[in-house]
Amino acid sequence: MNKQNLTIPITGMSCTNCSANIERTVGKLDGVTEATVNFAAEQAMISFDSDKIRTTDIVHKIHDLGFKVPVSTKELPITGMSCVNCAANIERTLNKKVRGVVSASVNFASEQLLVDYIPSIVSLDTIVSEIKKIGFDLIVADEDQNEEDVEEIARHAQILDQTRKFIVGAAFALPLFIMSMSRDFGLIGSWSHASWMNWFFLFLATPVQFYTGMDYYVGAYKALKNKSANMDVLIALGSSVAYFYSLCILVLPWLGGHVYFETSAVIITLIKFGKLLEARTKGKTGGAIKKLIKLQPKTATIIANGREQQIPISMVQVNDIIVIRPGEKICVDGVIIEGISAVDESMLSGEPIPVDKTTGDDVTGGTVNVQGLLKFKATRVGKDTALSRIIQMVREAQGSKAPIQALADKVAAVFVPAVISIALITFGIWWGVTGEFVPSMIRMVAVLVIACPCALGLATPTAIMAGTGKGAENGILFKKSEALENAAKLDTIVLDKTGTVTMGKPTVVDWIPAKTSGLSGNDLLSLAASLEKGSEHPIGKAIVAFAQKKGLVLTDPVQFKAHSGFGVEARLNDQVFRLGKPGWFEHEQGLPKEITKDINVLQNKGRTVMMLAKGKKALGIVSVSDVLKPESEQAVKQLHAEHLNVVMLTGDNVQTARAIARQVGVDEVYAEVRPEEKSKKIKELQQNNGRVGMVGDGINDAPALAIADIGFAIGTGTDVAIETGDVILSGGKLTGIPTAIKISRKTMATIKQNLFLAFVYNIVLIPVAAGILAPFEMFPDFLRQLHPILAALAMAASSISVVTNSLRLYTADIG
């Protein structure tokens, strides 16, 4: 039993019953021996067996009860990992041995640690110290340093170090290989067989073994010290067997035999070259993050004391007045107070066409001012800006583990010990069958060197990084890699109507004057808008706003009167006009046939119709509707092309809902659904229609977004919806849904290809290295007698092929 005692801070308790509830529920968890909650101190004292239950399980249970444990989340770059087993070692150490760590996840591909911890129990310095104890380093920026710059410098230094070691290895291994092979094939004179030649080979091999290859020895020592095994163990073991066997032959010449210094030297150099290429290629999978970071300007021009002043972006505060000239990047989020321009928001929406902006409009940091001079007031700065939150979302998604990764993790955990066992069995069988030590040893070394846990470890995370990066480039933010995986499995997409399929605000659609009125369309609209100038009703405001946008001249109404539920009445130019529901007029005076026909047509389209009359004379009708978003019909067609069932869920009336549904082409409509019933309807669809994705933008959509298999939140919607959703469409366009699903499906296809490559590579080539093809003469000799040098080359190629396959996602067609 590995007993731990934790004192956990808890917030959200309102009375002693809350503390009793926590004590009772947590105390029943398997592995918890005692749970005591102090309501006054807002703390829980918990004793548990860390072999049976983790801190994260306890914290999640407290959260499930409706209370909170204050947790800090930190993402830090990590160096020194050689394979996925290193990542697993770090996770195991932090999750099981460090008190106060709620959860720790390491992404081997991006070399990032994502850790949730309780600051009152453990500090970040302690976490860093524990990681260094097991042989790895974290890149932590000082307070006055930029985290991205520090990481970039550290990564660059690491690549330079690897490059130097490879150059040294190549400088010594290449002449060693050429001279050794030339001697073996009799291409050079008899002088090459002199004893001093072997000493010269030792001189060439030693710097490669202990300078170029030192990282593998250090990594192997640290792994074994922590009772784990990684790729470094295989490389160090394989190259050492060849090197020290040759050294024994050299120092003890009476043993007789051939030296294999070139084998150990070339193995290390080739693998170092492969790791160097892998590091450079892996860097490209994180290109989306780097592109987003580059969108952030370094400085801002603010107006202070009536004068312009340029300051670092970190010093900008909320309510600062900022000046942006044409061609400049907008530095933080804000609202325009002066100026008219067009702003390139492609970083948010993926759309290349600039968006017109004027006073009162919002602007987002990282977007580009294309035309005019703008002044805006800062509303969100630093980590609160939309761009910073996007970067953080992408980081967290790339750092999290997709469920499909579990298979590779399980295999990797036993991979190295299994390979060592296979290598020893190979050596034993061949020595027992042939009685020859050296060929048996060579086969053993080939098995050790060709095995590659790296390809398994890189298969999923590199594809996830590329997929989330591709999404970010198109204004689609996957909050977790699990969402990226599960989006590919959806069967049904449920669309909220208002603000999702439609614009979410009413606007004038039709204005039709009666033939006997003598009015033009603009005359009719001007009179209707003038009447509504005194109205506070949303439909009235929509009519006024539309008329003003058209530049029509409006008259101030006199003796304005609102008739609740019917319409409005007022005097315009000493004449009484009324504007309201057709039923209001029909009850009093009847309606002309031509008007009645138009009203029926428009109402069947789901539009709200208002009739204008002067006295008892009908002058015409104005219809108002929440119009479709321009891309809605196209989005539904694209969803159908992906073989998805499309459902619309709305609280609006049946007539309007069906009219909208007909226009966009959805398969099923559920109307007059109250907000509290939406989540219930999602459950019903899950039972009957399989996996369900919900798309919404409002507070009332949040429960349905949470209960759906995948919640797609419109990025222009409420903060509650965005917080609840699994996927955020930052541009607010519905066409982002089919695009997100395409990205998900292509990413999952890439992951399966990568896993296939990694598994097949190891399943096929390890037996080949062991000599399974040796008895079959129909195979080429290089396969029957697979040399460790060829094995090292194949091993390096396997990781590079997996990463390169993932990079193809960046050029995938998702249109």
Side-chain angles (χ1 to χ4, degrees):
M1 180 175 177
N2 188 4
K3 185 176 180 180
Q4 283 195 21
N5 297 304
L6 280 181
T7 301
I8 300 176
I10 299 177
T11 61
M13 294 187 292
S14 59
C15 65
T16 55
N17 284 341
C18 297
S19 59
N21 185 19
I22 297 170
E23 283 183 0
R24 183 172 57 254
T25 306
V26 174
K28 290 179 181 178
L29 293 174
D30 185 29
V32 174
T33 55
E34 185 180 0
T36 304
V37 180
N38 187 321
F39 171 63
E42 294 190 303
Q43 288 182 335
M45 286 67 75
I46 300 171
S47 299
F48 64 98
D49 181 359
S50 61
D51 290 332
K52 290 185 177 181
I53 190 169
R54 298 177 303 165
T55 304
T56 185
D57 299 322
I58 297 171
V59 171
H60 286 162
K61 178 55 70 175
I62 294 172
H63 286 179
D64 289 342
L65 292 171
F67 308 100
K68 293 291 183 183
V69 176
V71 171
S72 288
T73 299
K74 196 74 175 177
E75 185 174 34
L76 295 169
I78 194 164
T79 61
M81 295 188 295
S82 62
C83 71
V84 68
N85 284 349
C86 298
N89 187 18
I90 297 168
E91 289 179 354
R92 185 168 55 251
T93 299
L94 293 180
N95 286 323
K96 289 192 173 183
K97 297 180 180 179
V98 181
R99 292 175 65 253
V101 170
V102 175
S103 67
S105 177
V106 178
N107 187 318
F108 170 59
S110 62
E111 297 183 302
Q112 298 282 335
L113 164 69
L114 184 65
V115 59
D116 294 334
Y117 62 98
I118 304 171
S120 59
I121 299 175
V122 63
S123 67
L124 187 60
D125 289 339
T126 302
I127 293 171
V128 172
S129 176
E130 290 296 326
I131 290 174
K132 287 185 176 180
K133 284 180 184 178
I134 58 174
F136 307 97
D137 283 315
L138 283 174
I139 303 171
V140 182
D142 295 333
E143 289 186 4
D144 59 343
Q145 292 178 302
N146 183 286
E147 290 182 6
E148 286 77 22
D149 290 344
V150 171
E151 179 181 355
E152 188 72 24
I153 291 168
R155 298 287 187 215
H156 184 64
Q158 187 180 27
I159 289 177
L160 282 180
D161 179 61
Q162 297 296 308
T163 304
R164 280 193 299 269
K165 288 176 178 175
F166 165 70
I167 291 172
V168 170
F172 284 90
L174 185 60
L176 172 59
F177 176 75
I178 293 173
M179 294 176 69
S180 179
M181 291 296 102
S182 297
R183 183 175 72 174
D184 291 347
F185 287 101
L187 300 177
I188 52 180
S190 58
W191 57 268
S192 61
H193 293 276
S195 60
W196 64 267
M197 194 67 165
N198 286 342
W199 287 98
F200 181 61
F201 285 174
L202 173 66
F203 167 77
L204 292 174
T206 301
V208 181
Q209 192 73 28
F210 299 109
Y211 175 70
T212 303
M214 182 52 66
D215 292 340
Y216 303 122
Y217 282 107
V218 172
Y221 168 74
K222 289 176 179 177
L224 294 173
K225 180 183 176 184
N226 290 285
K227 300 178 181 179
S228 67
N230 59 12
M231 189 196 76
D232 293 337
V233 174
L234 297 179
I235 297 170
L237 187 58
S239 63
S240 295
V241 168
Y243 179 86
F244 287 106
Y245 169 80
S246 302
L247 184 61
C248 287
I249 295 298
L250 185 61
V251 175
L252 306 171
W254 59 86
L255 292 176
H258 189 78
V259 295
Y260 290 91
F261 286 120
E262 84 287 349
T263 299
S264 64
V266 173
I267 284 172
I268 288 175
T269 304
L270 281 176
I271 293 174
K272 182 63 71 176
F273 180 61
K275 296 302 287 183
L276 182 60
L277 288 180
E278 181 187 309
R280 293 180 181 273
T281 311
K282 277 199 301 184
K284 295 178 183 178
T285 59
I289 288 285
K290 293 174 183 176
K291 286 180 182 178
L292 289 171
I293 290 171
K294 287 179 181 178
L295 291 173
Q296 296 176 311
K298 302 293 184 183
T299 60
T301 302
I302 68 168
I303 297 178
N305 300 320
R307 299 178 61 183
E308 291 188 10
Q309 179 182 349
Q310 197 168 75
I311 61 173
I313 190 71
S314 59
M315 293 178 63
V316 176
Q317 297 181 356
V318 173
N319 293 326
D320 278 349
I321 305 301
I322 299 166
V323 178
I324 298 292
R325 291 178 169 79
E328 292 183 343
K329 288 180 181 177
I330 294 169
C331 50
V332 295
D333 298 355
V335 59
I336 297 173
I337 60 173
E338 184 180 322
I340 299 174
S341 183
V343 176
D344 179 357
E345 294 187 337
S346 56
M347 56 79 68
L348 281 175
S349 63
E351 296 292 331
I353 301 173
V355 179
D356 292 333
K357 298 283 184 177
T358 188
T359 303
D361 289 338
D362 293 328
V363 289
T364 305
T367 57
V368 180
N369 180 26
V370 178
Q371 287 181 326
L373 180 74
L374 291 177
K375 291 182 183 179
F376 70 92
K377 181 187 291 186
T379 55
R380 289 195 293 257
V381 301
K383 298 291 184 182
D384 295 326
T385 64
L387 180 58
S388 294
R389 288 185 292 171
I390 289 171
I391 291 171
Q392 187 59 30
M393 280 186 197
V394 177
R395 281 191 186 279
E396 289 179 2
Q398 293 187 344
S400 61
K401 286 190 176 183
I404 198 171
Q405 175 72 18
L407 174 62
D409 287 348
K410 289 178 181 178
V411 173
V414 298
F415 185 87
V416 174
V419 169
I420 293 174
S421 299
I422 292 170
L424 292 173
I425 292 170
T426 299
F427 174 78
I429 290 174
W430 279 100
W431 196 14
V433 171
T434 65
E436 297 180 353
F437 177 82
V438 172
S440 304
M441 178 198 71
I442 292 297
R443 292 193 183 278
M444 179 182 71
V445 172
V447 171
L448 290 170
V449 171
I450 204 167
C452 186
C454 295
L456 281 173
L458 292 168
T460 298
T462 52
I464 292 292
M465 290 172 68
T468 52
K470 183 74 172 178
E473 288 180 359
N474 288 273
I476 300 163
L477 306 175
F478 295 92
K479 292 170 75 172
K480 294 290 181 183
S481 57
E482 185 176 0
L484 179 61
E485 177 177 339
N486 290 337
K489 305 172 185 175
L490 293 176
D491 303 297
T492 298
I493 295 292
V494 177
L495 306 174
D496 170 55
K497 181 182 77 70
T498 307
T500 302
V501 175
T502 65
M503 296 296 291
K505 52 186 179 181
T507 187
V508 174
V509 182
D510 305 282
W511 53 104
I512 306 171
K515 292 179 181 179
T516 58
S517 68
L519 298 175
S520 67
N522 282 349
D523 292 336
L524 175 72
L525 192 59
S526 178
L527 287 169
S530 296
L531 275 176
E532 292 286 7
K533 279 188 73 175
S535 174
E536 291 297 320
H537 195 280
I539 290 178
K541 288 184 175 181
I543 293 173
V544 172
F546 186 80
Q548 288 176 334
K549 190 173 182 180
K550 286 180 65 67
L552 302 181
V553 178
L554 305 186
T555 304
D556 290 331
V558 179
Q559 297 176 356
F560 175 85
K561 185 178 181 181
H563 297 267
S564 180
F566 293 100
V568 296
E569 178 181 353
R571 296 181 72 87
L572 298 173
N573 301 322
D574 293 327
Q575 297 185 75
V576 177
F577 291 86
R578 289 190 295 169
L579 179 71
K581 293 180 178 179
W584 186 24
F585 301 94
E586 187 176 22
H587 176 71
E588 292 185 1
Q589 64 198 47
L591 299 176
K593 287 184 178 180
E594 60 168 313
I595 295 287
T596 303
K597 182 179 177 182
D598 289 334
I599 289 171
N600 290 335
V601 169
L602 295 177
Q603 286 182 336
N604 285 333
K605 291 181 179 180
R607 295 171 186 172
T608 300
V609 180
M610 310 289 283
M611 193 176 98
L612 179 69
K614 182 173 71 172
K616 291 188 176 182
K617 183 180 181 181
L619 300 180
I621 55 176
V622 177
S623 79
V624 176
S625 178
D626 181 6
V627 297
L628 288 176
K629 287 184 175 180
E631 74 279 0
S632 293
E633 186 176 355
Q634 179 190 358
V636 172
K637 285 182 180 178
Q638 291 174 346
L639 289 169
H640 284 150
E642 293 297 315
H643 307 292
L644 289 158
N645 184 48
V646 184
V647 176
M648 193 170 75
L649 195 64
T650 178
D652 211 338
N653 65 75
V654 174
Q655 189 178 33
T656 300
R658 286 179 178 172
I660 295 293
R662 282 195 300 270
Q663 291 180 63
V664 296
V666 301
D667 302 302
E668 298 176 64
V669 183
Y670 296 96
E672 299 179 2
V673 180
R674 294 194 302 272
E676 64 272 18
E677 294 176 337
K678 284 188 175 182
S679 55
K680 182 180 178 181
K681 182 58 69 175
I682 294 293
K683 286 182 180 179
E684 291 177 8
L685 289 169
Q686 286 171 326
Q687 291 173 355
N688 301 323
N689 295 45
R691 295 176 181 267
V692 175
M694 170 70 190
V695 188
D697 72 322
I699 293 174
N700 63 328
D701 297 322
L705 288 170
I707 205 165
D709 294 283
I710 295 290
F712 295 89
I714 302 295
T716 52
T718 63
D719 288 342
V720 174
I722 292 171
E723 188 68 27
T724 309
D726 303 296
V727 182
I728 312 301
L729 308 179
S730 60
K733 288 187 176 292
L734 202 58
T735 46
I737 304 298
T739 302
I741 291 169
K742 284 182 183 178
I743 290 173
S744 173
R745 290 178 175 175
K746 287 183 181 293
T747 301
M748 293 311 299
T750 301
I751 289 173
K752 290 172 183 176
Q753 292 164 7
N754 287 349
L755 289 173
F756 176 80
L757 288 171
F759 278 117
V760 167
Y761 166 85
N762 285 293
I763 290 170
V764 172
L765 290 188
I766 288 177
V768 170
I772 197 171
L773 299 180
F776 305 102
E777 294 185 1
M778 76 280 292
F779 291 103
D781 192 58
F782 77 90
L783 287 177
R784 295 171 60 216
Q785 310 290 337
L786 189 63
H787 196 280
I789 290 176
L790 289 176
L793 188 61
M795 183 266 210
S798 67
S799 294
I800 297 170
S801 65
V802 165
V803 178
T804 304
N805 189 49
S806 295
L807 287 174
R808 292 191 308 113
L809 282 168
Y810 280 112
T811 57
D813 179 19
I814 58 167

